[in-house]
Amino acid sequence: MSLQAQDGHYWTQQYGTRSILLSNSAIGGVNDLAALYYNPARLSLIENPAFLLNADVFEISQVKFDDAVGEGASRTKTDFGSVPSFVAGTFKIKWLDGHSFGYSILQRQNSDIDFNYRDETFGDVLSNFPGEELFGADISFSQETKEEWYSISWSYPIGERISIGATASATRYTSSKGTLIELQALASTNQVAQYQFDRNYSMNQYGLLWKLGIAGESRSFNWGLTLTTPQIQLASKGNYTYKEFFSGIDESTTPDGFTTSLQEGIKTRYRRPLSVGGGISFPIGKSE
């Protein structure tokens, strides 16, 4: 089976004051150094670019697992913390008059989700055992994703109110995901049944990508267009672990078994598609 998926374009994280307030609708009107990410062509149209450090914004995130451990048994996890950081600045090259340059370091993705469930009950849970059993269950799920971009940007005005630009980014992407299920049952006959399922993977990838942009200004509105290239993979490595163990029910049609697979140094690939973005910004004045 083959699946096609689109990576998030802009909507997951926000960088810079205006983009946070506008929920990332900033391709055509960003006026600070967040332009290095949203549209590098805007760099030549910013009057006074300054060093930008986005590090004091916090958010509350909530993840809900519907029917996580059975029908009607949902689980919710809430986290409070700072959003991914963004650091940017500008520099000049003396012999390239009129050209603008910038650098930026940002966290493109930063998520850490973990979920744990534990329960113990006494009753007739397993039909293969006579009478009632002491039954225990431990279930855990974890998923962590981090992505960092290290970028250099360039911009040049090709007219009084129009400019072009480009950003080259070196990327580092890490991801891990795991599921662990442990079930135990003790029958009244002192017979013990056990089931364990453990599957997890991790990957680490380095790559390069480019963002090209054009931006313009008029008396009544600003506009911008961008194109982000697919990622060129430079290096990657992944690990995969799978274990499944079942034992203890003599009357079961499923025999005792132990399955394991440990794979290290796997070549992995994280695809990033060609992306096109556009935006128009209409200033409506200031309110006091």
Side-chain angles (χ1 to χ4, degrees):
M1 177 180 292
S2 178
L3 298 177
Q4 301 294 329
Q6 171 71 50
D7 182 42
H9 191 51
Y10 288 109
W11 306 283
T12 306
Q13 308 295 345
Q14 298 87 35
Y15 308 98
T17 305
R18 173 170 289 197
S19 62
I20 291 175
L21 296 175
L22 296 177
S23 188
N24 279 329
S25 301
I27 297 177
V30 60
N31 63 353
D32 56 23
L33 287 186
L36 303 181
Y37 170 71
Y38 292 105
N39 187 351
R42 289 284 304 170
L43 183 60
S44 294
L45 302 176
I46 299 173
E47 295 183 0
N48 296 304
F51 180 80
L52 177 62
L53 174 63
N54 188 121
D56 294 320
V57 179
F58 295 84
E59 69 178 3
I60 296 177
S61 61
Q62 185 178 83
V63 178
K64 183 179 180 181
F65 297 87
D66 291 325
D67 301 327
V69 289
E71 186 176 353
S74 301
R75 290 294 181 269
T76 301
K77 179 177 176 59
T78 302
D79 287 322
F80 175 77
S82 59
V83 302
S85 60
F86 179 79
V87 178
T90 60
F91 62 94
K92 293 287 187 179
I93 298 180
K94 292 182 179 180
W95 60 88
L96 294 176
D97 187 34
H99 296 256
S100 300
F101 297 89
Y103 62 88
S104 61
I105 302 173
L106 63 91
Q107 288 184 321
R108 181 66 177 82
Q109 299 185 60
N110 185 11
S111 65
D112 188 0
I113 301 172
D114 62 86
F115 161 76
N116 296 280
Y117 172 79
R118 175 174 295 178
D119 190 24
E120 189 173 281
T121 185
F122 186 78
D124 190 7
V125 179
L126 301 177
S127 60
N128 298 83
F129 281 175
E132 297 181 328
E133 307 89 38
L134 178 62
F135 180 81
D138 292 274
I139 301 173
S140 63
F141 168 82
S142 63
Q143 179 174 318
E144 183 176 4
T145 301
K146 292 185 178 180
E147 184 178 5
E148 300 164 346
W149 287 18
Y150 305 88
S151 306
I152 295 293
S153 300
W154 159 85
S155 179
Y156 183 75
I158 58 175
E160 184 178 353
R161 290 178 163 275
I162 188 171
S163 63
I164 57 175
T167 293
S169 299
T171 67
R172 178 177 181 264
Y173 177 86
T174 61
S175 179
S176 63
K177 184 177 181 179
T179 302
L180 175 63
I181 302 174
E182 293 181 325
L183 308 176
Q184 310 89 28
L186 174 64
S188 57
T189 58
N190 289 328
Q191 186 177 355
V192 177
Q194 300 181 68
Y195 175 78
Q196 180 180 356
F197 174 86
D198 183 6
R199 181 169 62 187
N200 61 78
Y201 78 85
S202 63
M203 61 179 294
N204 196 335
Q205 180 172 282
Y206 299 87
L208 293 173
L209 59 82
W210 290 263
K211 184 189 291 287
L212 311 177
I214 183 170
E217 294 182 341
S218 68
R219 294 182 179 179
S220 56
F221 65 91
N222 302 327
W223 59 272
L225 294 171
T226 61
L227 182 147
T228 305
T229 68
Q231 181 173 266
I232 297 177
Q233 182 172 294
L234 299 179
S236 68
K237 183 176 69 173
N239 301 317
Y240 175 78
T241 301
Y242 176 84
K243 294 180 180 179
E244 189 172 25
F245 171 78
F246 175 76
S247 177
I249 303 181
D250 296 335
E251 298 84 359
S252 174
T253 57
T254 303
D256 294 354
F258 184 87
T259 304
T260 181
S261 176
L262 177 61
Q263 304 176 48
E264 297 181 342
I266 304 171
K267 185 178 180 180
T268 61
R269 186 175 183 182
Y270 176 68
R271 296 177 181 270
R272 189 185 305 279
L274 179 72
S275 301
V276 178
I280 299 176
S281 173
F282 294 90
I284 58 175
K286 299 180 180 180
S287 59
E288 298 181 356

